[in-house]
Each structure stands twice: as C-alpha cells, then as structure tokens.
Amino acid sequence: MAATAGILLLPLLMTTTAVMMQAALFRQAEAGEPPYSCGPRSASLAQGYAFCDARLPASRRAADLVARLTVAEKVAQLGDEASGVPRLGVPPYKWWSEGLHGLSYWGHGMHFDGSIRGITSFPQVLLTAASFDDQLWFRIAQAIGTEARALYNLGQAEGLTIWSPNVNIFRDPRWGRGQETPGEDPATASKYAVAFVRGLQGSSPAALRTSACCKHATAYDLEDWNGVARYNFNAKVTAQDLADTYNPPFKSCVVDGKATCIMCAYTSINGVPACADSDLLTKTVRGEWGLEGYVSSDCDAVAIMRDAQRYAPTPEDTVAVAIKAGLDLNCGNYTQVHGMAAIQQGKMTEKDVDKALTNLFTVRMRLGHFDGDPRSNGVYGHLGAADVCTKAHKDLALEAAQDGIVLLKNDAGILPLDRSAVASAAVIGPNANDPFALNGNYFGPPCETTTPLQAIQSYVKGVRFLAGCSSAACVFAATGQAVALASSSDHVILFMGLSQEQEKEGLDRTSLLLPGMQQNLITAVASAAKRPVILVLLTGGPVDITFAKNNPKIGAILWAGYPGQAGGLAIAKVLFGDHNPSGRLPVTWYPEEFTKVPMTDMRMRADPATGYPGRSYRFYQGKPVYKFGYGLSYSKFSRRLVSGTKPGRPNTNLLAGLTANPTADGGASYHVEEIGAEGCEQLKFPTVVEVQNHGPMDGKHSVLMFLRWPNATTGVSRPTSQLVGFQSQHVKAGEKVRVGFEVSPCEHLSRATENGKKVIDRGSHLLMVEEDDGWEISFEA
C-alpha cells in the first residue's frame, strides 16, 4: 500500500533517463542480482550526484540523496519495505531480515528458493550462551554474516540489515522468548552483544558485512500473561534496575560493539511507549551512547501505540511523536500511510523526516548499496554459494552445540557410556526424533539435520525407539509400552522437555513443570529400567525437575537447549564420551512455586517485607533447583586466584580528592561519574586464575569470576553476587593453565544506586572463583 502511494505521487511524465533506469532496475531484479545503485548503468552516476561518490563520508552521501527526494518519496522510505526511486536509480529495499542463530524464514529480506535452499542452523542463543565463550559467539555471528552477504550477492536477499541479536535480560523463567537471549546476567548479555555485533558487521566500519540490530530496548520480557499482553503492558521499572540490569546490554551493543541499529520494544516503560520515548531513543541511545546508525520499531509497534496503547489521539500524532522522539524506521507501513498527512497537518516537519532518512541511508551507504555492483566493487563481492553451509560452518554448529550442553546430574559416573558395553538401548521421548525440536524459534532451513535418535543409532546397534507422547505437550502417554521397552533394554535414554507449543514469541508459560504426562512417564520408565536412566532435556527456558534431580533411578540429566542442526550428534558425542561437557547454566532454574510471582512485577531486588523473592542469581532469595553457572564435567577441575604472581591492585590514590558519599548502612561510596574516564582507566588491574584439570579427560572449562560484598545488606540493595567476567579455556588432563582477567572497578565492582547512578563502595570487595575462596580488594582513599 505504501509503495503504491509513493508511485502515484511521482510525476506522471518521467524523463527518458528515469524510464531507462526503472527498466534497468526491473532487469536487475529479474536476473537475480543484488539491489544496488550507482554502477555503470546508473543514471545518477552519469549525472555526477554526490551520493554516488564513494570518496565522500557515508553521512554526507546520505544527506545528498535525501535532499534530492520529494516529500512523497521520503515518506515512502519510512517503512521496512521501502519503495524504490527509479529516477535516481535507487532500488526498493527490505530492511527486515533475521539472523538470531542462522538466517531465518522470519522477515522479508531473505529467500531460500534459488540456488541456495539451506543455511547453517546454529543452536538457539541460550544454549550457545551456556558455553561462556565470547570467541565462539563471535565466530557464529561471523558465519551468519558471511552467509547473509553470500545470499545477497546471489540475488536471494533484498537486504543486509539483520535484526539480531536479542539481548533482553531473561528476567522471568516463564518468558516465551527467553530462549532467544544470552540469559539473565547483564554482564554476560553485554559481552554476548559485543561479540555478536562485531561478528555480524565485520571489522571495517566503512564497509559493513551486514548491519546488526540489538533488540528490544528496553525492559521487554513478557508476551502474554494473565490477560496482560506485550502490546499494552506498562513496565514499571526503577532507575536502579534500568541502570544495572536492563540497559547495560544495549549500551554495550552501541558503545563497544558499534551496532548500527537499536530496535525499540512494544512495551511502555513507566507510562511511555519505548518507541515514543525521546529520553531513551535520543538522549540515551543516540546522545549518551553515541549510536551511529538507525532506530527501528518492533513490527507494527507504531500502530500499536495508537490502537492498543492509546498514547496519541490520531494516527498522524502517533507517527509524529515517534519520529520526533528519535525513531527512524517503522517495521510495518503505518508511518508510510500516515506520514504525509502528519507533515501536512504540521504534526512533524520535513526536516524531522530528513533526519530519520539520513540515518537510514547512511547505513545503506556503509553496506555498499550505492557503490555499484557489490560483486565486482565490494569488499565482500567474492562471497557466493560456496560460502554457505561450508564444512567449517557445519563444524562450528557442532562445536557450539557441544560446548553449550550442560551436565546437570551424573550419579556414580553413569556417563559417559561405553559404546562397546551397550548391548541394547531404548530411546524414549517426543524430542528424540523430531527435527523441529532442534530449532527453537527464528530458524531457517538447515543445510542438514541429525536428530538424537539418528546420532545414537550411529554409535550403537540394537536401538529401539518409542516417542511415548505424540508431542512435547504429552497430553496422552504410552506409559505401558514405554515401561515394557525400558524393562527389556540394557540402557534407557529419555528425550523430553518443551517445544514451541509451550514457549515462543507471543506465548509465555504458566508452569515451570514439564508439560502434560511427561513427569509420570519419566518416573514410570525410570522405575522399570534395569539401571538408572539418562534424561536429556530439550528446552529453551528452565524447568522444575526437582523430581528427577532427587530420584536415584534417574542417574544422569543433560540440558541441551534447542541445539540446532548438529544437535543430535552433539548430544550423542557427550553421551558416549567423545566430548567432555563444559556448559554452565546462563539462567537460574527456579522451583514451581516461583510461578506465584506476577510476571508483571519488574523488580529485580527482593522485598522480604512482602515476600517478594527477587529475580536472578543476583537477587533471588529462594532456593533454586539449579543455580546460575552450574554445570558438571566428566573431569574434576579446580580454580584458584593466584596470589604468588603479585596480582595487580587498584591504584586508589586517585580517590583522595573525591568526596565519599554516605550509604544507608553507615558506609560510603564514590560516584563513578566523579572518578571520570581517565580515573576509571587508571583503576584497572589484572588478576590471574590458575585452573587445573585433575582428569580423567581433556576438556574445556569456563572460569566465572564473581564479586561479593562482605557487608552486603538489603538496606543498600547490593546484589548477593555479581559476575565480573569469564574466560573459556581448553585444559588437558593433568594440566595446569593460567587465565588472565582485567578488572575494571568502575565497570565490574560498581553498583547502581536508587537514582540509577553507578558508585563504588568504600571498603572491602571480594573477587571469587570458588564458593569458599576469595581475594579481598579494598577501596580506601
């Protein structure tokens, strides 16, 4: 509709050059070429327009192009399906593509109906996050970006703006989209954001491989709970929680990752829709953080501001308030439909639109869309079909799945299995042989898929399979058949968990228990089996499996997330000892009683006076089923902070001239703002952790370093503990290695006050890598 309106408003008598250019654009599309402008066939190049001059800065080129557009042509650019401008040789463009854990069916920009029919499907993000390996995250994003550019060069992509990653905090275990995120910890999510953005976009700011978009700013983590939908939810969030939980990943995206896009969420934050919040979009994202890119709405979020949230009286007012607040692009066509009327009615000006379009076209300039044919002129022009689903990418998908799998229980060393000693095996469960159970959401067509059943069959003979339930919902269970199979088999492996029927975009869970008859089926099978069974869980969010944790007839438990195309093989390699598990949980696994807490309560900190238990490992006061960072290995590892190497200490002399502000517990703190950037740099110091693998297997190990305050009190609302950083290291059996950390007190040892300001407490701080061991750091002027 928007594109048609734009064409009708063009002059009826087009110039001969414009007609020729429009024909060239149609030929370009028919030939399966990537959309581009300013090549040898471009009228704009022949006329010497500045926007075609690659020697000029991208922002200047963008401004030149915007200045040449009519008002109608400008408005037609404000939606995710932007109209072409034939008279200037500007092709149509589709902004919406997804690359969460591989290129995706979701969006309008990617097509899998040409020479490329499949792409590398990596594990869903939460499982990848369990590896605590930022180099792995970077390499995955790099592969996704490469495959996106390859499809673009082949004419199977109409855009290179990838609306990933999702770096929202996984605040509530019931959230249907928690599977898409790096978990509950802001430090982990921030590090993930930086690695993924850098991997997608490439190393050259002037020549982007693709454009990454961090979503959904901010404090968005509810789909539909108890009659409250994300479209009309007003998230009441304290300045303290915004500062130390919800905003840090987005800040890291922009400041450290140099992301070229931020997406604003559907939800309102303290009464203001995120996509109409000038304090968020203009003051914070673009002003304080320095975004060099564009701000997009979530899909139809602008229309929802009017139709569901009733934030503005008319469509024109709604469009104007969003654009003037700092929104540049609307996913949908609402701004295209109502933008012209908003200008004509004086709700917004043409200059407001120009600002938005300059941001948009600057990113397209950096993507090379106005440098001629990218296959001959671009840095990435060599990429094609041979760069999709490569052996390296498929191996990476396997590595990611293996490194994310978390061993939750292994009584009496039941795992790994000795394949030569397995005479017969029963594989039971709805997730054992369902390829879709490996995907999670926002997936594309995998280039190949191995289910867990297929992988186990490649390891041992005599495998018998029973689904037990028709799906993960498990409304009815074939318990009798499952018991008979289990009792006649040497080993039993159950593949249970969740699916997109229970958790996905638009759908939150109401329970943390396994769905339907799953628990009864598992318990019955375990009771009938000859020896303790192995339980493999394919889920996004956490589940309360206290029954399995405490049941001696369930000998081992693995969490395998949604592990992607190589997930079945990865699980089998762990089961049979070809890979030593090293994953650690990136979220707290809560008991079922946590579902009494309203999802709409956004507070992170506990409130003992009302019985509110708090959220995440940093603030939760209850007893978890499994805690954040938990994960077993087939080897025994030990970690210790090495003091014999004279580890660095912060230079606290520079604090002498600063005022120590009193705290509620009688202590004092220093404001990070007053310390300043130079002071914060001087406060940084190194630490060294020694890791020893006591055997019996080589393996990867992730060292998680935490901060604890010896005098933590509820009066000051300090976290119970706070992740400082992590390092992943492969260690041979019997080997000792040393892993280095750089600690930045302003970033790692600070906390947020109630007004959202960061402070460093005067006095003792403990750095810890073991429960009962810590290294004391003292901040005294």
Side-chain angles (χ1 to χ4, degrees):
M1 178 177 178
T4 303
I7 292 172
L8 289 175
L9 290 167
L10 290 176
L12 293 177
L13 296 175
M14 300 176 67
T15 65
T16 302
T17 302
V19 171
M20 292 174 61
M21 194 60 234
Q22 186 175 41
L25 290 175
F26 281 127
R27 287 196 304 271
Q28 189 174 304
E30 290 173 358
E33 296 181 1
Y36 63 86
S37 185
C38 298
R41 292 177 290 174
S42 171
S44 51
L45 180 66
Q47 295 175 31
Y49 289 157
F51 71 79
C52 284
D53 189 346
R55 297 168 299 179
L56 297 177
S59 58
R60 181 175 168 185
R61 296 173 67 190
D64 177 77
L65 174 55
V66 172
R68 299 178 188 280
L69 301 177
T70 67
V71 177
E73 289 168 343
K74 291 176 180 179
V75 170
Q77 298 296 315
L78 292 175
D80 71 279
E81 295 195 43
S83 300
V85 187
R87 66 185 184 84
L88 296 176
V90 178
Y93 186 73
K94 294 184 178 180
W95 288 89
W96 180 15
S97 294
E98 299 281 354
L100 189 69
H101 56 108
L103 299 179
S104 170
Y105 290 119
W106 277 252
H108 302 144
M110 298 286 166
H111 307 285
F112 306 104
D113 54 358
S115 60
I116 300 299
R117 298 299 178 102
I119 46 81
T120 310
S121 182
F122 295 95
Q124 181 61 290
V125 176
L126 194 66
L127 183 70
T128 304
S131 69
F132 285 93
D133 185 343
D134 58 342
Q135 284 301 308
L136 177 64
W137 304 337
F138 172 83
R139 289 158 54 212
I140 290 171
Q142 194 174 45
I144 295 169
T146 295
E147 295 195 353
R149 181 62 81 156
L151 260 68
Y152 180 79
N153 289 346
L154 294 168
Q156 287 186 231
E158 297 176 72
L160 285 168
T161 37
I162 310 296
W163 288 355
S164 302
N166 180 344
V167 294
N168 289 115
I169 296 298
F170 196 170
R171 171 190 63 100
D172 192 290
R174 293 163 286 186
W175 186 31
R177 299 187 73 176
Q179 58 180 291
E180 302 175 25
T181 76
E184 70 183 32
D185 176 62
T188 306
S190 296
K191 207 164 183 178
Y192 182 90
V194 173
F196 200 87
V197 168
R198 288 177 176 173
L200 269 184
Q201 295 192 163
S203 58
S204 173
L208 297 170
R209 180 190 291 115
T210 65
S211 163
C213 189
C214 294
K215 59 187 185 184
H216 315 78
T218 182
Y220 161 58
D221 50 13
L222 177 147
E223 299 302 301
D224 192 347
W225 177 84
N226 201 29
V228 179
R230 58 182 177 166
Y231 304 124
N232 56 20
F233 177 47
N234 177 28
K236 297 177 181 178
V237 189
T238 66
Q240 189 174 41
D241 285 341
L242 281 172
D244 73 0
T245 299
Y246 297 114
N247 282 350
F250 295 100
K251 181 179 180 180
S252 293
C253 268
V254 176
V255 175
D256 301 314
K258 306 301 180 187
T260 45
C261 170
I262 289 289
M263 177 181 287
C264 49
Y266 292 115
T267 50
S268 295
I269 312 298
N270 299 322
V272 181
C275 293
D277 190 343
S278 60
D279 282 345
L280 173 65
L281 304 184
T282 298
K283 181 181 176 182
T284 301
V285 172
R286 197 172 292 281
E288 295 176 13
W289 300 346
L291 174 69
E292 293 184 0
Y294 69 101
V295 175
S296 172
S297 78
D298 206 338
C299 291
D300 295 320
V302 178
I304 286 165
M305 285 165 51
R306 164 80 173 100
D307 298 337
Q309 297 168 343
R310 297 293 174 184
Y311 185 70
T314 68
E316 293 77 19
D317 286 298
T318 305
V319 169
V321 74
I323 296 294
K324 291 164 76 172
L327 184 73
D328 300 312
L329 182 77
N330 169 43
C331 179
N333 67 354
Y334 201 78
T335 50
Q336 293 165 309
V337 171
H338 301 289
M340 182 64 75
I343 295 173
Q344 292 170 343
Q345 294 174 21
K347 309 289 186 181
M348 66 181 183
T349 67
E350 187 176 352
K351 287 185 178 180
D352 294 324
V353 177
D354 289 350
K355 185 186 297 183
L357 296 193
T358 301
N359 292 331
L360 294 172
F361 278 112
T362 297
V363 171
R364 290 187 61 186
M365 295 290 174
R366 293 170 64 189
L367 286 166
H369 293 166
F370 295 87
D371 296 336
D373 190 338
R375 297 168 300 180
S376 57
N377 299 334
V379 177
Y380 308 105
H382 64 285
L383 297 174
D387 300 288
V388 180
C389 286
T390 64
K391 183 180 184 303
H393 289 182
K394 289 188 265 188
D395 289 347
L396 182 59
L398 175 61
E399 178 186 348
Q402 289 176 161
D403 288 357
I405 291 172
V406 181
L407 179 62
L408 296 173
K409 180 180 180 180
N410 194 23
D411 287 356
I414 186 174
L415 291 177
L417 297 172
D418 180 354
R419 61 193 296 181
S420 65
V422 179
S424 63
V427 174
I428 300 172
N431 285 339
N433 200 36
D434 180 3
F436 291 102
L438 305 174
N439 293 331
N441 63 359
Y442 280 88
F443 63 92
C447 39
E448 60 186 28
T449 299
T450 304
T451 68
L453 175 64
Q454 291 169 338
I456 292 170
Q457 288 171 331
S458 72
Y459 269 83
V460 295
K461 296 179 180 179
V463 176
R464 292 180 292 170
F465 167 63
L466 178 71
C469 309
S470 60
S471 69
C474 204
V475 177
F476 302 103
T479 306
Q481 295 178 54
V483 164
L485 179 58
S487 63
S488 61
S489 301
D490 193 25
H491 290 272
V492 178
I493 309 172
L494 291 136
F495 287 88
M496 313 301 282
L498 306 175
S499 73
Q500 302 307 293
E501 295 178 28
Q502 289 81 42
E503 54 176 356
K504 63 180 178 181
E505 184 171 8
L507 179 64
D508 295 320
R509 285 185 286 158
T510 57
S511 172
L512 298 179
L513 300 176
L514 290 172
M517 300 294 293
Q518 281 197 41
Q519 181 170 327
N520 291 339
L521 178 62
I522 294 168
T523 302
V525 167
S527 296
K530 296 178 180 178
R531 52 174 57 121
V533 303
I534 299 161
L535 174 61
V536 181
L537 296 169
L538 270 62
T539 76
V543 286
D544 181 353
I545 52 166
T546 302
F547 80 96
K549 179 182 179 182
N550 296 334
N551 187 342
K553 291 285 287 178
I554 299 173
I557 305 173
L558 289 174
W559 175 68
Y562 296 126
Q565 67 178 47
L569 182 57
I571 292 168
K573 281 181 171 289
V574 170
L575 291 174
F576 292 96
D578 283 344
H579 183 80
N580 193 350
S582 59
R584 305 182 70 166
L585 292 178
V587 288
T588 300
W589 283 35
Y590 298 87
E592 172 69 3
E593 67 181 14
F594 190 85
T595 57
K596 297 176 183 176
V597 176
M599 277 192 76
T600 50
D601 195 325
M602 300 294 292
R603 291 176 296 167
M604 296 301 299
R605 289 157 170 82
D607 183 1
T610 62
Y612 183 69
R615 297 177 181 274
S616 85
Y617 77 95
R618 296 159 65 225
F619 302 107
Y620 179 55
Q621 299 297 309
K623 183 180 179 181
V625 179
Y626 290 107
K627 65 182 180 180
F628 173 89
Y630 181 81
L632 303 175
S633 169
Y634 294 152
S635 293
K636 176 178 172 56
F637 287 90
S638 61
R639 302 155 297 278
R640 69 184 184 95
L641 284 157
V642 183
S643 57
T645 57
K646 295 183 179 180
R649 299 275 179 171
N651 176 18
T652 56
N653 293 331
L654 58 86
L655 303 177
L658 300 179
T659 301
N661 303 284
T663 57
D665 61 350
S669 63
Y670 301 97
H671 282 280
V672 171
E673 285 183 355
E674 294 179 11
I675 296 173
E678 184 177 345
C680 286
E681 189 67 28
Q682 293 179 33
L683 282 174
K684 291 180 180 178
F685 62 95
T687 63
V688 177
V689 177
E690 183 180 84
V691 182
Q692 183 172 2
N693 182 350
H694 301 275
M697 293 177 63
D698 298 351
K700 198 174 179 182
H701 184 71
S702 294
V703 180
L704 274 58
M705 181 181 289
F706 291 90
L707 166 70
R708 287 187 180 174
W709 288 267
N711 58 340
T713 64
T714 54
V716 180
S717 298
R718 297 183 181 94
T720 303
S721 65
Q722 179 170 292
L723 187 67
V724 169
F726 51 85
Q727 296 281 356
S728 184
Q729 178 74 42
H730 190 272
V731 189
K732 294 180 180 179
E735 184 182 24
K736 289 182 181 179
V737 299
R738 290 190 170 182
V739 180
F741 288 80
E742 182 180 68
V743 179
S744 171
C746 291
E747 178 184 356
H748 300 135
L749 309 187
S750 63
R751 61 176 177 84
T753 62
E754 291 184 1
N755 63 6
K757 300 296 183 181
K758 288 295 187 79
V759 299
I760 303 175
D761 286 317
R762 190 169 68 183
S764 295
H765 301 68
L766 289 178
L767 291 178
M768 310 187 73
V769 293
E770 294 282 5
E771 290 289 339
D772 56 354
D773 182 35
W775 178 35
E776 186 173 336
I777 303 296
S778 181
F779 273 83
E780 298 289 350

